[in-house]
Amino acid sequence: EKGGFEHFMLKEIVEQPTTIFDCLRGRLDTKEGSIRMGGVDPHLDRLTKADRIVILACGTSWHAGLVAEYVFEELCRIPVEVEYASEFRYRNPIIREGDVIMAVSQSGETADTLVAIEMAKRQGAFIFGIVNVVGSSISRLSHAGAYTHAGPEIGVASTKAFTAQLAVLMMIAIKVGFAKGTIDQKRYLHLVSELGAVPAKVEAILESKDQIRSIAETFRDARDFLYLGRGYNFPIALEGALKLKEISYIHAEGYPAAEMKHGPIALVDENLPVVFVATKDAYHEKILSNAQEIKARKGKVIAVISEGDDAFSSLADATLPVPAADELIAPLLSAIPLQLLAYYIGHSKGLDVDKPRNLAKSVTVE
Ligand code: M6R
């Protein structure tokens, strides 16, 4: 069942070129330059005219929602709020006509997410589900939606479901932005082709598994890790930290890189590995100077970088290169080495990475 792999988690990480391809297949056509989505097309008007999008999710799915916030606001100029479903359901949230509520969930059974959308639905909101498990409770409750088509995810740590969520959310944002006219045809076609190129780029990243494994072995005894990113890669820093916590039981925190000066920099000493998610984008100079500051305080710098980026390779103690991509699409690539890093650290500690202690695959009770 594990297809020759030692753990489901590794199998699911390695499957990603296929699962992302499956998610795009039949929807994104790079030759024709089109995106067709059965669950979106009939409701396109509702999305282009939305006054606001509220994304509800938990855990890793919430991180996918955060990436989507940046992407939707950039491409569609629609205000987006991303909320922990557990917080949304217990406060008295403002839900207006014209709001679109998006629920993001691998399992489609997460109790907080389910109850949050039930509540929003009762108040008249339009519910759009982005779910992996076909026929699950959240998919049945939604008015419309798009499946992520990642196949069953067995490892407790979400990996392939996360990248499929990103792929679906990005397709929707690109589609809505073009339909709305907030992006022009040139940018639209560029993003369609960049998204279509992701499976092959993920395949290329997976070829560096062994290097990532040896980096993992170097840092496996650290007590804490800090993950920093900016812009589209900020949520990937959060996701990298969550993966490490779950799988290796090492304390890890993710922050927007600029926040380090507002507190976390106090943690930096020669024992602290700091993972920068620093692919080439508009924030590159800024994050580079953040990394220099960590280095000056003797922290260990591990950096996810765009291939051939010498700026970081001379500074970092270890680099995790990924192929170059448009900055909006880059999170789909930068997530992969961080999944592998967490996996190999947990593995080298002899832990049960598929079933970390205290965790359940889906949290169906609050
Ligand atoms: O099934 P869901 O996507 O609704 O699950 C949400 C979280 O419970 C889930 O992402 C959790 O954080 C994972 N263990 C992360 O790896």
Side-chain angles (χ1 to χ4, degrees), residues 52 83 87-95 119 123:
R52 188 173 70 138
E83 287 223 41
E87 286 298 312
F88 184 87
R89 66 178 277 206
Y90 283 117
R91 53 190 194 84
N92 185 11
I94 298 166
I95 299 166
M119 190 180 98
Q123 294 183 39

Side-chain angles (χ1 to χ4, degrees), residues 57-63 104-111 113 130 132-133 138 153 155-159 161 165 239 242-243 246-247 356 359-363:
C58 304
T60 288
S61 300
W62 184 79
H63 296 152
V104 185
S105 175
Q106 187 285 128
S107 61
E109 304 296 345
T110 298
T113 312
I130 293 164
N132 194 42
V133 177
I138 293 174
E153 190 180 65
V156 162
S158 185
T159 54
Q165 289 166 345
E239 174 59 7
L242 178 63
K243 282 302 78 109
E246 284 185 293
I247 298 309
L359 286 169
K361 180 61 183 160
S362 50
V363 183

Side-chain angles (χ1 to χ4, degrees), residues 317-328:
D317 296 279
T319 57
L320 305 166
V322 299
D326 186 282
E327 62 178 4
L328 275 91

Side-chain angles (χ1 to χ4, degrees), residues 99-321:
D99 284 349
V100 170
I101 305 268
M102 287 188 176
V104 185
S105 175
Q106 187 285 128
S107 61
E109 304 296 345
T110 298
D112 281 324
T113 312
L114 185 61
V115 177
I117 61 168
E118 263 167 3
M119 190 180 98
K121 195 177 178 183
R122 273 199 305 275
Q123 294 183 39
F126 180 77
I127 314 289
F128 191 92
I130 293 164
V131 172
N132 194 42
V133 177
V134 176
S136 56
S137 304
I138 293 174
S139 73
R140 282 184 279 118
L141 235 140
S142 302
H143 294 111
Y147 283 117
T148 44
H149 297 310
E153 190 180 65
I154 310 294
V156 162
S158 185
T159 54
K160 64 175 182 171
F162 176 64
T163 48
Q165 289 166 345
L166 291 181
V168 163
L169 287 159
M170 286 176 186
M171 274 192 287
I172 299 172
I174 297 166
K175 190 176 170 64
V176 171
F178 187 49
K180 234 189 128 171
T182 40
I183 56 170
D184 63 14
Q185 191 177 29
K186 187 167 168 241
R187 190 166 189 202
Y188 170 77
L189 291 175
H190 172 70
L191 289 169
V192 166
S193 105
E194 282 284 297
L195 200 48
V198 165
K201 290 180 183 177
V202 173
E203 190 85 64
I205 299 169
L206 294 171
E207 278 164 27
S208 58
K209 273 206 321 286
D210 292 343
Q211 285 98 294
I212 298 176
R213 182 177 195 150
S214 80
I215 295 169
E217 276 154 17
T218 309
F219 293 99
R220 48 165 274 179
D221 294 321
R223 202 186 59 181
D224 310 278
F225 267 71
L226 197 57
Y227 285 71
L228 301 175
R230 279 178 183 255
Y232 302 104
N233 273 325
F234 152 56
I236 301 305
L238 300 185
E239 174 59 7
L242 178 63
K243 282 302 78 109
L244 188 69
K245 262 183 272 207
E246 284 185 293
I247 298 309
S248 72
Y249 312 151
I250 295 175
H251 167 242
E253 288 195 65
Y255 272 97
E259 275 293 305
M260 69 184 212
K261 287 190 188 147
H262 300 276
I265 199 164
L267 298 170
V268 179
D269 63 13
E270 67 281 5
N271 299 316
L272 185 76
V274 183
V275 180
F276 282 89
V277 193
T279 50
K280 273 259 174 170
D281 56 22
Y283 317 92
H284 192 253
E285 283 300 312
K286 299 267 178 208
I287 200 161
L288 182 61
S289 86
N290 295 139
Q292 279 154 348
E293 288 172 58
I294 295 294
K295 201 71 213 165
R297 286 161 183 81
K298 302 199 165 53
K300 300 280 180 287
V301 172
I302 303 170
V304 179
I305 57 164
S306 301
E307 263 161 24
D309 179 6
D310 297 334
F312 263 95
S313 47
S314 53
L315 169 91
D317 296 279
T319 57
L320 305 166

